[in-house]
Amino acid sequence: MNKRARRRFTKNDGGLYLLTPPRICLQTFPDVLSRALEAGGVSCLQIRLKFPPGESRDSERVRRECVEVLAPLARHFGVSVLMNDDARLAGESGADGVHIGQQDGSVDAARASVGGGIVGVTCHDSLELAHAAQASGADYVAFGSFFASSNKPDAVRAPLEILSHWREKGNVPCVAIGGITTGNAAELLRAGADYLAVCEGVWGHAAGPAAAVQEFAALSV
C-alpha cells in the first residue's frame, strides 16, 4: 500500500487542474510543461493519455514512464500528479493519487491502492453521485462537461447550478471539466468551481501554454 502523506486538495486552495494532452513526447513535453508550471497557478497535473488500439498493450509502460519523468518536475513547482483511471498503477508508479470514473471501481478500492494519496471521482451531472463519492471518502468530485469538448464530444453536459449547489452543500472541493477556456472559465468560478480542469484550453492556446496558465491564474485572483 502507498503510505505517502496525503497532499492538500481543499476548497481554500483552488487553481488550475491541468490535464496532459492525449499524446505526448517525453523528449519535448517536459520543457513545455516546465514553462507552463513556472507561470504559476497550477495545483494539479493529471496524466491522461489516450492510445490507439494497436498501441494499447504498451500503455502501462508509457504511463509509468510519464510519472517517472513528469512527477519530479511537477513537484518542483508544488504541483500534485494524479493518474487517470488506474488506481493500481497510480499506487505502484508513485503518483500522488488517482482520478477515477464511474466505471473504474470504488473509492475504497482506489484508496487501498494509493493509501494516503488523493482520490477524485467523476460525477458527471449528478449530485447523487457526488454525495456518494464524498461519503465514501473521495478528496474531490468532478462535474462536467460544462462546454463542448473536442476530447469528449459525447460527454453529458452539466448545468452551472450544480456548482452553486455543491458550494453550499458539499464538504470536499469540486472540479469543473469540459471545454474550459480562458474565455468561459470566469462563469464557472462565479458559480462555485474550486478547480478548473483544462486540457486544450492550455495546450492549444493561441499564445502558448504559459500564457494560458497566466490568464487562468489571473481569473482566480
Side-chain angles (χ1 to χ4, degrees):
M1 178 184 294
N2 187 328
K3 297 185 181 296
R4 291 183 302 276
R6 185 181 304 178
R7 285 171 171 246
R8 294 183 66 209
F9 208 95
T10 72
K11 287 189 172 187
N12 293 328
D13 288 344
L16 191 60
Y17 182 123
L18 191 56
L19 308 171
T20 65
R23 295 176 68 85
I24 63 176
C25 171
L26 282 178
Q27 281 68 52
T28 58
F29 182 70
D31 184 56
V32 176
L33 176 63
S34 180
R35 291 198 299 272
L37 298 183
E38 191 173 20
V42 178
S43 297
C44 179
L45 175 71
Q46 184 190 122
I47 295 176
R48 188 174 72 166
L49 306 180
K50 303 300 178 183
F51 299 88
E55 299 178 16
S56 59
R57 64 182 181 181
D58 295 324
S59 64
E60 181 167 323
R61 174 185 58 80
V62 173
R63 287 183 292 164
R64 284 181 184 274
E65 290 177 355
C66 283
V67 174
E68 182 179 338
V69 173
L70 302 182
L73 188 159
R75 290 169 184 153
H76 175 75
F77 292 99
V79 173
S80 299
V81 175
L82 305 188
M83 180 69 71
N84 185 49
D85 292 343
D86 194 330
R88 176 191 60 81
L89 184 57
E92 292 177 358
S93 66
D96 297 305
V98 65
H99 179 87
I100 57 174
Q102 291 298 316
Q103 308 304 316
D104 298 324
S106 68
V107 172
D108 285 343
R111 182 67 67 202
S113 293
V114 303
I118 296 165
V119 177
V121 182
T122 293
C123 298
H124 303 297
D125 62 342
S126 172
L127 287 169
E128 182 178 0
L129 291 176
H131 284 291
Q134 176 178 269
S136 296
D139 294 290
Y140 71 85
V141 297
F143 296 117
S145 180
F146 287 96
F147 307 104
S149 169
S150 59
N151 289 324
K152 290 192 175 182
D154 299 323
V156 174
R157 297 291 283 273
L160 284 175
E161 291 76 16
I162 201 169
L163 298 172
S164 301
H165 176 96
W166 195 255
R167 172 184 278 173
E168 296 178 4
K169 304 294 185 182
N171 296 321
V172 299
C174 69
V175 176
I177 190 170
I180 300 172
T181 68
T182 53
N184 60 30
E187 58 186 299
L188 297 173
L189 294 171
R190 287 194 296 268
D194 298 300
Y195 294 82
L196 301 176
V198 183
C199 183
E200 185 62 21
V202 167
W203 309 117
H205 192 280
V213 169
Q214 288 178 329
E215 289 184 34
F216 276 110
L219 292 172
S220 301
V221 175

